[in-house]
Structures are given as structure tokens and as C-alpha cells.
Amino acid sequence: MAYTAIDLIEIKRDGGALSADAIEWLIAAYTDGSVPDYQMSAMAMAILLNGMNNEELAALTEAMLNSGEVMDFSNIAAAKIDKHSTGGVGDKISIPLVPMVAACGIYVPMISGRGLGHTGGTLDKLESIPGFRTDMNADRFRALLVAHRLVLAGQSETMVPADRKLYALRDVTGTVPSIPLISSSIMSKKLAEGLDGLLLDVKTGSGASIRELDRSRELARTMVGIGASHGVNTVAFITSMDQPLGNEVGNANEIKESIDVLRGDGPQDVTELTMVFGETMLELGGVDGGRERLEDVIESGAALEKFVEVAVAHGGDPSVIDDPSLLAVAPHEAMVAAPGSGYVTQCDALTIGVVATHLGAGRERKEDTIDPGVGITLKAKIGDIVQRGDPLAIVHYSDEERWDAQRESLATAWTISDQPIPTPDLIIERVDVTTT
Ligand code: URA
């Protein structure tokens, strides 16, 4: 049947359902360029506003998955397990996590994303290591996986090209927080990787793409269901994103913090989440040893060595891993000072993520480039006690005008109260196939 983009946009705009055939046509036409960005933006917004039923979601995921090569690693006997997050502020967990589990014997064929909306992206962070290349074709992806047990790539012309285009479009059109768009984006990439198991980190709270717990739960269940229906053993964790993870928000500074974790010296929240996810990936891969094994690869230096090995294989300069002070840092620094004394009861992830994006750590338009040295170093998080004038954050920025436009907004991220609040739980719940 012949379709036109305008007819399909109008069906979705008016609350109708698209046939599987129409969705397949739309995704193929968008991927080959015959449907332009402006029509796909309108469609993405219509999907965000009106949702999709299960049949539409299955068809969308399938069409995106089949837009490029679906890899088959069945000739690798060891378990192929990956991890993906729905996106957060300061969420660098994948970066220390995957060399740790690879050092324990798991194969990790990872296709990641760039920054999305106010949330950072693994690819942008990795590319702040000078020379680190994440663009590759399926042959190189396979070769790196076989040689190093770990490959870190982005969507490309040959691997999930539909998500490569749609992801970049959603980033700048306000169409990120949609359950069907997030789940098809994530699961198309993950199902193209030829996995045995998958761990999903579904963020919830102010800095998450989906903020409400019940909708985060729906997102987790939706993706676990898609994984199960494709024979991939999928586990999701719903975790808090009310405040940023760790103390660094940006790109190069998040690489530095990831190296701290690999050296056994990372912040408590990032280290704990990395350990819990590592244990679960080992469990999914049938590898014994759990947390003790992960602690061993940190203590012995094997996890850090794996990171260096993989960075070099991707063209990255290993000297910045040896000496993270060589990583990019923006030329200017400003302090956000506590306006009063008391307990920090809020350190708002959304505000901090939006400010970091506007300062250049993320994109406002598709063609924008990331400034890797821009970032925010948090000095006070929920539960800390501060005195008036103490630093709440140090901001690293390149452009005075941009900082002037953001300084007031950033100061609103913190609330300081007379009374402490209980430390919020980092891990809220685990969702398995059996619990969906
Ligand atoms: N990660 C993705 O790959 N896609 C999304 O839509 C959100 C997070």
C-alpha cells in the first residue's frame, strides 16, 4: 500500500493507531531520507502526546531494529550481556561498569547514545578522551568485541540507522519523554547486538526522562517484555534520579570520575550502583563470584587495564587515563555558594542537567558540538550539612554570556533546611519478567 507521511501524522495526531505496515514504511522512508526531519518531528510529537498501543510499539521496535544489521554472535560461546540506562544527570555508570564485567569474562557488545535532552550520553563522554572513536561499521564492531570482549559504539549507517536519526531529532524537539519512543529506541539498539542478557536502568524522579514512578514502572515492564519476547533475558532496575549521580556532571569530568571508580576511589552512590549492576550482569551471564569478583578486578587493576586496552583499541589516548588531569577543562570557573546554613534537602537533577546542557555539555540544536571541558562539580548533595557561603558547586564554563544566563537558575537547584530529610533510596525496585 502507498502511504504519505502527512496521512500517517494526521492519524496519530487524531488519536488513531498505525498499522504495522505503515510503521515499517515510515521508518524505512525516514531512514532513507524520503521522509524529512520536519515530518518525523511532527510524528514524534504526535506519538509523545497520544501514545502507541502494544501492536504499534512492537512494529516500531521491529522496524527500527531491522533498519540496519542485526548481529549474530552465536559463535561466541561466552555470555553476551549489555546494560542501558534511560538517561540521567551525572549517569556515567556504564563507563566503569562494562570494563569491570568484561574483566570478569562477560562479552559486552554495547551500542550507546549521545546526550538526550538534559541527560548526558555515554558516547559524548567517551569522546572526551582524545581520539576515542565510537562510529564504526558492523565488521569493526564484531572485530573489537572478539579481540577485547568489549566494544563501545554508536548507532551508525549500518547499525540501527533509524535510531541514529530519530534519537538526534528527539534530542532537540522536546520529544524525549515518551514510553513508546524510549522503549523502541533502547530495545532496537539492544536487540541488534545479538545479546543473551540485558540489564536496564530505568531512572525515575526529577532528572529522569520519565519522572513519575508509576510511568517509570510501565517503561521498565514494557522493555522487559520486549526483551523477553525476543528471547533476551532482561532485568530492569528502577533507580532514583532526583539528584545527580556522583559529584561530576558534564563529559570529561565524568570520565575522570569513572576512572576514580575503576581505581576503587569513586563516590559511594556511583560505586554502589556499579557494583549492583555488575553483580546482576554476572548473574545474567552465569559467571560466578558476584561482588567479590568485581572487587578483585578493581583491586588487582584488571578493570582499569581493560578500560585502557579498550580505549586504545577505539583510538583513544591512554595518557589521559593514567593522568586524568590532562582531560579537557573549560577555561573559567565560578562557585555557587550556600545562601544559608543547614541540611541540604534538595539537589535537583533536572535544574543541574538543564544548566549543564545550556553551558555546552549538551546540544540545543542537532548540529551543535559538545564542549567536553564544560561541567559542574557538586560540592553538596542531599544530607550534607553546609554553612552560609560554603560551595554548593564549582561550575567550569567557556562562555561568559551563557554562564550569566544560567547562574540564577543553577542556584535554585539546592534547598537548605533546618531539618534533615531521610537519605533517599538509590535503588527503588527490580523488575524481572516474572514480575511484569
Ligand atoms: N536511551 C536511548 O537509547 N534512547 C532513549 O530514548 C532514551 C535513553
Side-chain angles (χ1 to χ4, degrees):
M1 183 166 164
Y3 297 100
T4 61
I6 176 79
D7 288 345
L8 302 186
I9 293 165
E10 284 173 359
I11 292 174
K12 200 74 262 178
R13 179 198 65 193
D14 297 339
L18 300 173
S19 68
D21 202 42
I23 291 172
E24 199 183 316
W25 173 85
L26 178 71
I27 294 301
Y30 179 54
T31 308
D32 73 22
S34 42
V35 166
D37 273 352
Y38 57 82
Q39 285 186 313
M40 201 60 195
S41 307
M43 177 58 93
M45 187 58 83
I47 294 173
L48 179 137
L49 295 173
N50 290 326
M52 278 188 144
N53 65 32
N54 290 342
E55 289 72 31
E56 290 177 290
L57 174 59
L60 179 61
T61 308
E62 215 57 38
M64 289 178 49
L65 168 64
N66 292 322
S67 67
E69 187 172 342
V70 178
M71 282 168 281
D72 176 4
F73 296 122
S74 50
N75 59 338
I76 299 177
K80 281 84 52 188
I81 313 290
D82 194 11
K83 174 261 175 186
H84 202 91
S85 161
T86 56
V89 179
D91 182 3
K92 73 273 302 162
I93 302 289
S94 294
I95 297 167
L97 172 67
V98 291
M100 279 167 66
V101 297
C104 294
I106 297 274
Y107 279 70
V108 187
M110 178 176 262
I111 303 178
S112 304
R114 299 193 173 279
L116 194 59
H118 65 276
T119 67
T122 301
L123 297 182
D124 292 328
K125 293 173 198 178
L126 287 171
E127 285 177 0
S128 56
I129 298 175
F132 201 112
R133 298 284 303 266
T134 55
D135 54 328
M136 64 186 79
N137 62 25
D139 287 342
R140 180 148 174 78
F141 187 88
R142 189 172 290 111
L144 287 176
L145 178 67
V146 170
H148 304 287
R149 284 203 297 272
L150 170 59
V151 52
L152 297 152
Q155 320 94 312
S156 67
E157 294 302 326
T158 53
M159 298 189 295
V160 265
D163 184 59
R164 175 186 163 103
K165 289 188 79 177
L166 187 51
Y167 191 96
L169 193 68
R170 288 170 54 220
D171 183 28
V172 291
T173 54
T175 50
V176 175
S178 148
I179 291 178
L181 292 178
I182 296 174
S183 42
S184 56
S185 162
I186 293 180
M187 295 310 288
S188 61
K189 287 195 282 291
K190 301 295 109 176
L191 296 173
E193 295 172 345
L195 295 178
D196 301 306
L198 173 62
L199 182 145
L200 295 167
D201 181 7
V202 177
K203 299 286 182 208
T204 195
S206 114
S209 307
I210 301 289
R211 293 178 203 164
E212 310 78 15
L213 181 57
D214 54 342
R215 292 190 70 226
S216 304
R217 207 173 265 135
E218 187 188 335
L219 175 60
R221 290 179 176 167
T222 301
M223 292 194 289
V224 167
I226 296 174
S229 68
H230 285 79
V232 177
N233 195 358
T234 306
V235 172
F237 284 89
I238 301 179
T239 69
S240 172
M241 189 30 73
D242 280 322
Q243 65 175 341
L245 267 172
N247 301 323
E248 301 289 349
V249 175
N251 290 284
N253 58 340
E254 292 202 39
I255 291 291
K256 181 180 172 307
E257 195 166 56
S258 303
I259 296 167
D260 291 344
V261 176
L262 287 167
R263 292 201 166 125
D265 205 15
Q268 198 272 336
D269 56 348
V270 179
T271 302
E272 180 56 20
L273 213 49
T274 306
M275 284 292 174
V276 171
F277 290 173
E279 287 175 276
T280 310
M281 288 177 79
L282 298 191
E283 169 197 320
L284 283 168
V287 171
D288 294 333
R291 186 172 285 231
E292 242 175 70
R293 183 100 187 245
L294 295 164
E295 283 165 356
D296 281 352
V297 294
I298 296 287
E299 266 162 43
S300 67
L304 186 62
E305 265 170 44
K306 178 57 81 179
F307 186 53
V308 173
E309 171 196 324
V310 169
V312 170
H314 287 69
D317 175 359
S319 63
V320 300
I321 304 175
D322 279 350
D323 179 4
S325 70
L326 299 175
L327 284 159
V329 187
H332 307 295
E333 214 174 87
M335 182 177 98
V336 180
S341 303
Y343 297 91
V344 176
T345 53
Q346 178 176 259
C347 171
D348 184 53
L350 176 62
T351 309
I352 294 167
V354 169
V355 169
T357 301
H358 288 315
L359 291 178
R363 294 176 186 78
E364 289 171 358
R365 289 171 310 171
K366 264 174 82 175
E367 50 286 356
D368 287 349
T369 50
I370 296 284
D371 187 338
V374 160
I376 301 174
T377 303
L378 305 175
K379 295 289 184 189
K381 293 183 65 180
I382 297 175
D384 289 344
I385 301 173
V386 292
Q387 304 302 324
R388 186 163 187 266
D390 280 355
L392 298 175
I394 305 292
V395 181
H396 310 277
Y397 65 95
S398 297
D399 183 314
E400 288 286 353
E401 252 177 59
R402 285 195 191 199
W403 169 233
D404 276 346
Q406 295 305 318
R407 64 168 80 229
E408 273 179 32
S409 168
L410 185 58
T412 66
W414 286 265
T415 305
I416 297 165
S417 310
D418 294 343
Q419 297 298 319
I421 55 157
T423 313
D425 287 337
L426 189 54
I427 298 181
I428 295 163
E429 64 192 51
R430 172 173 163 151
V431 178
D432 287 86
V433 179
T434 45
T435 55
T436 60

